Amino acid sequence: MRKIITLCVLVIVVFSCGTNKVTVRKKASKRNKTEQVVNRKVSKDNANRDEAVVETVNSTGVKIASTEDYVALFKSIAQEEMRLYGIPASITIAQGILESNSGKGRLSVEANNHFGIKCHEWTGDRIFHDDDASQECFRKYSDAKYSYRDHSLFLTQRQRYSALFKLRKEDYKGWARELKKAGYATDSKYPEKLISLIERYELHKFDEEVLGGDYVKFEDPKVASGSTYIVEKGDSMYSISKKYNLTVKELQDLNNLPNTSLSVGQKLVIARSSGNSLASASNVSPKSALVTKLHIVEKGDTLYSISKKYNVPVSELQEINNLSDTAISIGQELQIKNR
């Protein structure tokens, strides 16, 4: 009887130990699996700075508080795209800032689309968003870095952008103008906005870092020796005067112009030469010397209503502006004689 009782006790002890071992193994296995899910693929010493930046950008919940934050997060990616595809990092970053509202726009937040690239032949994920038309189709990416890569491919693989790659990489102004010319954006001020961003945040320094010893500061050919300007389509005497901090009258006097008419390709002097004075009789035409005001024609304006506004005869408006009749157009600049 004692032998039977002893045997039963041994069986219970053995079974109990076995159950505990299985339980421990199962718990250990489950813990290991959870740890593998949360592991990050970044070296402990963060030796690869670019990899660390990309990982930070893609972390859930990262918020960009300012344009400076945006630049800091994406500059290394833009520079790598420049090395691989020849697109100035300054242009890429400026476009990213403008198109994504410094990473705060809906397309960038919900679709990682930082360049407003529409679907076209895209077969991947997509998002619909109001742009030039209601609910247009835009590309959606799993990671912001793929948006930057697709931007590079978008420009390099389309023939209409081929003229970009004939420009020097230091010529960010030329790149900005050519992007608009090739149809990247419909905004008439798109080049000026990109150039302004590049110069405000000194994004051209990233181009210099990539090019190293090959970098040569580019002088805009539109302004030869800082003294002349070549008129482009869309320019007006007023817009050029603002660009170079001059008055319309000063531009006219510098160029001996009797009115504000311009033609594409026309060369304008935009700086005084040494010893030259705007008050010099040889540089001032009798008509332009009397002009002190400028009126931009608005919707509903007529030559008669403008003449009443400034208390000048219609005939005088026609004479000072070289008008053969009373026809005027919205946006036209009219000179008003000082009285």
Side-chain angles (χ1 to χ4, degrees):
M1 188 65 172
R2 289 179 178 176
K3 290 182 178 179
I4 292 173
I5 292 173
T6 302
L7 181 61
C8 289
V9 171
L10 288 172
V11 169
I12 291 170
V13 171
V14 171
F15 181 81
S16 176
C17 292
T19 302
N20 287 338
K21 288 180 181 178
V22 172
T23 303
V24 171
R25 285 173 185 166
K26 285 185 177 179
K27 288 182 178 179
S29 175
K30 187 174 183 179
R31 183 173 65 251
N32 289 339
K33 185 176 181 180
T34 302
E35 288 172 353
Q36 289 173 0
V37 171
V38 298
N39 279 343
R40 295 176 64 196
K41 296 179 180 179
V42 181
S43 58
K44 293 182 180 179
D45 60 355
N46 286 328
N48 189 330
R49 187 177 177 185
D50 286 357
E51 184 180 358
V53 169
V54 173
E55 185 67 26
T56 302
V57 171
N58 298 325
S59 298
T60 303
V62 172
K63 293 184 179 180
I64 299 173
S66 65
T67 299
E68 288 84 355
D69 289 345
Y70 185 92
V71 172
L73 287 171
F74 289 101
K75 65 179 182 180
S76 60
I77 297 177
Q79 286 180 309
E80 182 61 20
E81 294 303 304
M82 181 177 179
R83 294 184 188 100
L84 293 173
Y85 295 94
I87 302 166
S90 59
I91 285 290
T92 301
I93 286 287
Q95 284 192 279
I97 293 170
L98 189 58
E99 299 287 349
S100 74
N101 188 24
S102 295
K104 300 172 187 174
R106 178 176 177 249
L107 288 177
S108 58
V109 172
E110 297 183 21
N112 284 316
N113 188 332
H114 286 244
F115 298 93
I117 299 180
K118 298 179 181 179
C119 288
H120 301 294
E121 70 279 7
W122 182 253
T123 57
D125 292 339
R126 55 195 64 198
I127 185 173
F128 294 90
H129 179 74
D130 292 347
D131 191 54
D132 295 327
S134 175
Q135 292 298 288
E136 290 190 275
C137 182
F138 289 84
R139 302 181 181 192
K140 185 176 181 179
Y141 308 93
S142 61
D143 192 304
K145 65 183 179 182
Y146 299 128
S147 174
Y148 272 74
R149 176 56 50 85
D150 205 24
H151 170 263
S152 297
L153 296 175
F154 190 84
L155 295 183
T156 56
Q157 295 179 356
R158 283 167 172 73
Q159 181 61 33
R160 63 189 174 115
Y161 296 114
S162 59
L164 285 168
F165 299 92
K166 297 176 183 177
L167 299 171
R168 286 175 51 186
K169 294 180 180 66
E170 299 96 333
D171 182 15
Y172 60 83
K173 292 182 180 180
W175 278 76
R177 296 181 189 121
E178 185 58 39
L179 278 167
K180 172 64 177 69
K181 184 178 178 181
Y184 190 96
T186 56
D187 184 357
S188 61
K189 299 295 183 182
Y190 194 74
E192 288 79 4
K193 290 177 180 179
L194 291 181
I195 293 169
S196 176
L197 285 169
I198 291 170
E199 295 179 346
R200 179 178 179 181
Y201 296 101
E202 299 184 316
L203 305 181
H204 48 79
K205 290 185 176 179
F206 302 143
D207 302 336
E208 186 174 358
E209 289 176 7
V210 173
L211 295 173
D214 294 330
Y215 180 85
V216 178
K217 188 175 180 180
F218 187 80
E219 183 178 350
D220 191 347
K222 288 186 63 176
V223 182
S225 302
S227 62
T228 59
Y229 177 84
I230 309 301
V231 177
E232 290 188 338
K233 183 178 180 180
D235 279 339
S236 67
M237 189 72 82
Y238 180 74
S239 67
I240 297 170
S241 70
K242 290 297 181 185
K243 183 179 180 70
Y244 294 101
N245 197 29
L246 296 167
T247 65
V248 171
K249 181 177 182 298
E250 285 177 326
L251 268 180
Q252 287 181 291
D253 292 345
L254 281 168
N255 293 278
N256 291 324
L257 299 175
N259 55 51
T260 58
S261 298
L262 297 173
S263 58
V264 175
Q266 181 178 352
K267 182 180 290 187
L268 294 178
V269 175
I270 50 87
R272 301 175 181 84
S273 59
S274 58
N276 188 19
S277 171
L278 287 174
S280 169
S282 61
N283 284 335
V284 182
S285 64
K287 287 183 180 180
S288 63
L290 298 173
V291 178
T292 59
K293 299 176 185 176
L294 185 69
H295 178 86
I296 310 298
V297 177
E298 299 178 348
K299 184 177 181 180
D301 277 347
T302 64
L303 210 58
Y304 178 74
S305 67
I306 296 170
S307 71
K308 290 296 181 184
K309 180 176 181 178
Y310 295 102
N311 193 29
V312 296
V314 171
S315 58
E316 185 177 293
L317 282 175
Q318 289 178 297
E319 178 186 4
I320 198 68
N321 292 282
N322 288 337
L323 301 176
S324 58
D325 53 34
T326 58
I328 53 177
S329 57
I330 295 175
Q332 183 176 351
E333 298 174 349
L334 296 178
Q335 300 173 75
I336 311 298
K337 186 184 294 185
N338 186 29
R339 303 186 71 78

